[in-house]
Amino acid sequence: MSVWIAIGATALGCYLVKLLGLSVPTGALEHPWAKRLAALLPVALLAALTAQQTFAEQTVLVLDARAAGLGAAALALVLRAPFLVVVGAAVLVTAGVRAMA
């Protein structure tokens, strides 16, 4: 039953955050810092999620095939490869490292 309470509380919280966002005056959203925050915050959150999923196993820091795949993807991005090539490089390197282990 506690799972359903958590789901309901989360849904209510999401609705209230959405309602709060709609009630912000338009002038506050036009400030340069608000625009910059709105542009950079999703990138920072995605980077943090990627790092956490790549380098953490419960509460332990790990370096395994996922780190090698992330490195390959980063190299492909530096070389300005198309998105599918970036994903493909990450998959191939991760699979190759796992096959060698």
Side-chain angles (χ1 to χ4, degrees), residues 3 5 12-13 17 21-22 27 29 32 35 39 41 53 55 65 70 74 78-79 84 90 92 95:
V3 172
I5 293 171
L12 180 64
V17 168
L22 291 173
L29 299 175
K35 288 183 177 182
L41 192 60
Q53 290 291 314
F55 299 114
L70 184 62
V78 167
L79 297 174
L84 289 178
L92 289 174

Side-chain angles (χ1 to χ4, degrees), residues 43-99:
V43 175
L45 291 174
L46 184 58
L49 178 64
T50 301
Q52 191 274 331
Q53 290 291 314
T54 301
F55 299 114
E57 186 72 38
Q58 299 292 328
T59 59
V60 180
L61 177 68
V62 293
L63 290 174
D64 58 3
R66 296 176 293 181
L70 184 62
L75 178 64
L77 282 173
V78 167
L79 297 174
R80 297 192 161 284
F83 179 72
L84 289 178
V85 173
V86 172
V87 173
V91 168
L92 289 174
V93 169
T94 302
V97 171
R98 284 185 178 166

